[in-house]
Amino acid sequence: MLKNGKSLKWLAFLALSLFLSGCGNMTVLDPKGPVAESQAWLILFSIGFMLLIVLVVFILLTVILVKYRERDDHKGYQPDIEGSHKLEIIWTIIPVIIVIILSVPTIMTIFELEEAPAATSHKEPVVVHATSVNWKWIFSYPEEGIETVNYLNIPTDRPILFKLTSADSMAALWIPQLGGQKYNMAGMETQLYLQADEVGTYAGRNANYTGEGFADQRFDVVALEQGDFDTWVEETQNDAPELTQDEYDKLMVPGSASEMTFSSTHLDWVDHSTDAEYAINAWDRMGYVPLNPHSRAWKSI
Amino acid sequence: MKWDEFIITGDPLILGAQISILISGIGAVFVLTYFKKWKWLWDEWITSVDHKKLGIMYILIAILMFFRGGIDALMMRTQLAAPNMTFLDSLHYNEIFTTHGTIMIIFMAMPFLIGLMNVVVPLQIGARDVAFPFLNNLSFWTFVIGMGLFNISFIIGGSPSAGWTSYMPLASNELNPGPGQNYYLLGLQISGIGTLATGVNMMVTIFKMRAKGMKLFMMPMFTWTTLITSMIIVLAFPVLTIALAEMTFDRLFGTHFFNLTNGGMPMLWANLFWIWGHPEVYIVALPAFGIFSEIISTFSKKRLFGYNAMVYSIIAISVLSFLVWVHHFFTMGSGAVVNSFFSITTMAISIPTGVKIFNWLLTMHKGRISFTTPMLWSIAFIPNFVIGGVTGVMLAMAAADYQYHNTYFLVSHFHYVLIAATVFACFAGLIYWYPKMFGHKLNERIGKWFFWIFVAGFNICFFPQYFLGLDGMPRRINVYGVEDGWFALNFISTVGAFIMGLAFIILVYNIYYSFRYSPRETTGDSWDGRTLEWATSSAIPPHYNFAKVPEVTSMDAYWKMKEEGIDPNKIEKYEKIHMPSNTALPFVMGCFMFLVGFGLVFEWFWMGIVGGIGIFACMAFRSFDYNDGYYVSVEEIEETEKRAREAK
């Protein structure tokens, strides 16, 4: 019996340590910028409270089940208890208090995330227009006059202001280690501030389902020192080819693409946040006709 | 249209399904013919207006759909078991998760609960049938037709693949060509009509047909939750009806409600969908709460703790359910004030829900708890649902939700609430009321195997998914790489899913085994019950339910009668009973609805028009139908009741 108890304890310890070490490695709880940091903090804060609630319910349930299970020497059976206003008020008020305690930091964080991170808010943000197209990402740097496809370079320690829109289906820009996502929607623009504090490569992706190529709609975010970023911008401006509207229209046709770099942006002729029809019209120009994906005609493409 | 766009070809899995459907179809026809059961099927079931039989048919189809949705789930989990799997291609995977979600919510959870409501509620309130028996049969057939239409999509024309939420513009003609999305729209539309009618029917039944003396605050908890659920249905389903109609118009007739072109507003769909969709969550959760209340009270041999608080909690939950829909798209950039408001309303739902949890706990406190299989499911509901609930509160915190949104954290959360509440309740309710429906219990020993294996599989499957979510795995991806590091947790999750699949086989075996070997029930009161459904004279209640409708003076009416030594079946003199006649019209109408649905899916408008004319002809016929039922003779009642007493 004692031996069993001991091994159980060891098992519990092992499980707990595995669980905690797992937590440390999890992307969302391994933030590399202030936005993701405040979100990770909020998550851990809520997990604490929630574990408390879970513990209370689990212990109560166990005690009641053991104590009042049907058995020969049953004690304390009282079939006609109607209820207890005192108890009911207690377990109404305690959740109310918990909700308030959780609401305050939640709301503060919601408002905080609408603006550039406080620590770097004195710096000019880098503006990036992130446009989702089935099933690729197009990033335009209007101030630098450059555009990339399926990858993103950013400087560290500076807020990045994403202006999000979509050429077709609704997507969501998500770079878990830098911060939570927001939707990209055609004919609209949403804004998202993110920031990287450390140099490195982070995974970014579309988190909102967009059909066939959805799983591949991902990109690398490379965070560089400001100097390296400036060098990259300059090189791109000088060496990369210009983006032509014809080439851009090809990108509008559903499909995946490899990484590309251009020394001009599509913002010169279209802003998807005000023109939701551009991609559909581009299909016409490219001669693309959507077909039933189950038909032979489609399979032969 | 070419034939290869009509019948799906080129996929061995689908070919296998086509062949097995064909074989089982031929098998069913052969069995019915061989045993000469066609007339029996028609007279006793298809045309029946008996609420108990309709309820049983609802449950039967729900279990069938549980099988279909479960197979979908196992296929998805197989595809995700390891990195870079090629079991399903992207298109097939997308179709499967779309149909899995839609089927489990619309064609499994809801009909299962509606089936239980149908069987139980009229008995619980001491009524002879529902308020509108004809409509009840019609509701059932519209549900079956909608279900059938949705289900044939994967062999004829192609399944929908835009997710069960069908967000626009992904679900538009341009991005989703072919008939798949049309199946979704028409299948849901047709079955939605039936659901709405059921809501009205149940509401009127509960308001107008309660036994003498049964005040609203004496109603059993399951009846209460049915009432509130019906109100949510009546308020929420019209929104879905309109939204579906608008998208159908977008796809078939070139309107621009939600399109990309000509000023359509894709986000309007998301709003309309969730204005229906969030209350829908409570349409399947509240009846579950009612079932647990009945079972926990019965098997603790104790009245429900804080009855009034329980009622007010479900009312509060139903009101709040309409005020939280934006939490499904906190990431849509609605602004800080809006997100704050919906964060708080969402978290507020946890307050009445918490009250209910503690009331259930205190119902067991100072009781005599017997661990029957329905009780095991109800007890397991509490810890599992609490895990789902607290993660729901975490999701409600908008700023944190930006990180969980569209990830496996969310997937895990809603499976924890929907399975722990709805699915556990379906099993609990099925086992609990099984003797009322079929006259024998399900085997308890096999039932316990089923219970433990399912609950273990459920936790092994979904608990790792919280961590996958926090590790950045988005939902609905069909493939991931080795470098993502999600292999171990995904593999565990898949193992859990197959354990649940194994449990389902045990349930089916239990139904077969119990049909063969369980002792037949001789009394109607199989579990020493507290409410009126256990007061009827025989194990399978007679079609008129009560020889004489009992009078009610308190809560737990039947328990009180037993305490006071009153036998509700002891009746001096029987009187003839008025009952509604069977009807074939709803079935015929359903067939025409199928024509309309199928025609519109493929844009064969002539077929739609033929079906439409048929439907109106049925309505016209019905309005000249003066059959207002028949009387059950005193002799027949005497005969039935005598047989029931002798059995005792």
Side-chain angles (χ1 to χ4, degrees), chain A residues 19 23 25-29 35-36 39-40 42-43 45-47 50 53-54 56-58 60-61 64-65 67-72 74-84 87-88 91-92 95-96 98-99 102-103 105-107 109-111 113-114 134-135 167-170 172 174-186 188 190 205-216 218 254 276-277 280-281 283 288 290-299, chain B residues 3-5 8-10 90-91 94-95 97 157-159 161-163 167-170 173-175 177-179 260-263 267 300-307 309 328-329 331-333 335-337 339-340 343-344 347-348 350-351 354-355 357-359 361-362 364-371 379 382-383 386-387 390 393-394 396-407 467 469-481 483-484 486 530 559 563:
Chain A
F19 172 79
C23 282
N25 294 331
M26 277 183 297
T27 320
V28 165
L29 300 178
V35 174
Q39 287 165 336
L42 196 62
I43 290 170
F45 174 77
S46 61
I47 287 178
M50 296 305 132
I53 296 170
V54 168
V56 169
V57 174
F58 278 41
L60 255 177
L61 178 68
I64 289 171
L65 288 183
K67 210 167 159 196
Y68 295 103
R69 70 185 195 278
E70 175 77 81
R71 56 188 159 150
D72 292 339
H74 193 86
K75 280 191 217 83
Y77 177 52
Q78 286 183 30
D80 292 318
I81 304 172
E82 267 183 44
S84 156
L87 284 173
E88 278 161 358
W91 61 59
T92 313
V96 170
I98 293 177
V99 166
L102 293 175
S103 296
T106 302
I107 291 169
T109 316
I110 293 174
F111 276 87
L113 295 180
E114 296 287 304
N134 290 352
W135 297 285
D168 40 41
S169 343
M170 181 160 84
W174 190 30
I175 309 163
Q177 283 189 293
L178 302 188
Q181 59 194 286
K182 213 168 241 186
Y183 278 156
N184 298 62
M185 298 168 286
M188 293 183 212
T190 41
R205 64 157 63 237
N206 167 22
N208 189 64
Y209 172 64
T210 46
E212 276 219 74
F214 165 60
D216 298 325
R218 49 207 288 180
E277 298 182 25
I280 305 261
N281 293 334
W283 295 0
Y288 170 80
L291 291 168
N292 178 355
H294 288 286
S295 74
R296 288 253 160 121
W298 191 87
K299 278 173 188 151
Chain B
W3 64 270
D4 63 285
E5 291 176 27
I8 303 291
T9 57
S90 177
L91 173 69
N94 297 342
E95 292 183 340
F97 77 68
S159 291
S161 63
Y167 274 1
M168 284 294 247
L170 184 63
N173 267 336
E174 290 83 14
L175 296 167
L260 283 176
T261 48
N262 290 328
M267 303 313 135
S300 304
K301 293 237 172 303
K302 208 164 152 271
R303 66 181 282 181
L304 195 65
F305 190 90
Y307 175 87
H328 295 273
F329 38 84
T331 53
M332 209 185 253
V337 177
N339 279 357
S340 300
S343 267
I344 295 172
M347 281 192 249
S350 68
I351 299 164
V355 170
I357 296 278
F358 284 105
N359 277 338
L361 285 174
L362 266 279
M364 291 189 274
H365 183 75
K366 292 190 191 292
R368 302 179 83 97
I369 305 167
S370 46
F371 295 95
I379 293 169
I382 292 174
V386 166
I387 292 173
V390 295
V393 174
M394 289 169 70
M397 301 164 71
D401 177 72
Y402 300 155
Q403 285 284 27
Y404 313 124
H405 190 76
N406 271 330
T407 70
F467 302 101
L470 290 175
D471 205 17
M473 180 165 164
R475 70 196 284 208
R476 291 172 171 173
I477 53 168
N478 66 314
V479 66
Y480 56 90
E483 68 284 0
D484 290 313
W486 300 325
R530 308 175 72 83
W559 186 257
E563 271 185 342

Side-chain angles (χ1 to χ4, degrees), chain B residues 138-281:
Chain B
L138 181 64
S139 298
F140 173 73
W141 283 111
T142 50
F143 152 66
V144 173
I145 294 306
M147 182 276 304
L149 191 65
F150 188 86
N151 269 282
I152 57 168
S153 67
F154 84 114
I155 46 172
I156 300 175
S159 291
S161 63
W164 92 281
T165 51
S166 285
Y167 274 1
M168 284 294 247
L170 184 63
S172 66
N173 267 336
E174 290 83 14
L175 296 167
N176 219 318
Q181 187 60 23
N182 297 349
Y183 271 117
Y184 171 94
L185 293 166
L186 288 145
L188 260 63
Q189 186 70 282
I190 292 173
S191 70
I193 294 168
T195 310
L196 186 57
T198 300
V200 174
N201 212 339
M202 286 291 162
M203 236 165 92
V204 178
T205 306
I206 295 170
F207 274 132
K208 302 296 279 184
M209 296 179 64
R210 294 192 308 279
K212 202 175 158 199
M214 186 183 275
K215 299 199 183 99
L216 278 177
F217 275 80
M218 286 181 193
M219 295 195 311
M221 207 26 99
F222 183 58
T223 303
W224 255 115
T225 52
T226 302
L227 176 64
I228 302 294
T229 303
S230 308
M231 288 177 173
I232 301 180
I233 288 175
V234 170
L235 285 170
F237 262 79
V239 181
L240 179 71
T241 306
I242 298 296
L244 288 172
E246 286 178 345
M247 201 199 280
T248 311
F249 272 59
D250 273 7
R251 287 184 64 90
L252 299 184
F253 307 118
T255 56
H256 298 279
F257 290 104
F258 312 121
N259 279 347
L260 283 176
T261 48
N262 290 328
M265 290 178 69
M267 303 313 135
L268 181 62
W269 167 263
N271 275 278
L272 289 175
F273 182 85
W274 285 115
I275 287 173
W276 162 79
H278 196 84
E280 168 69 20
V281 173

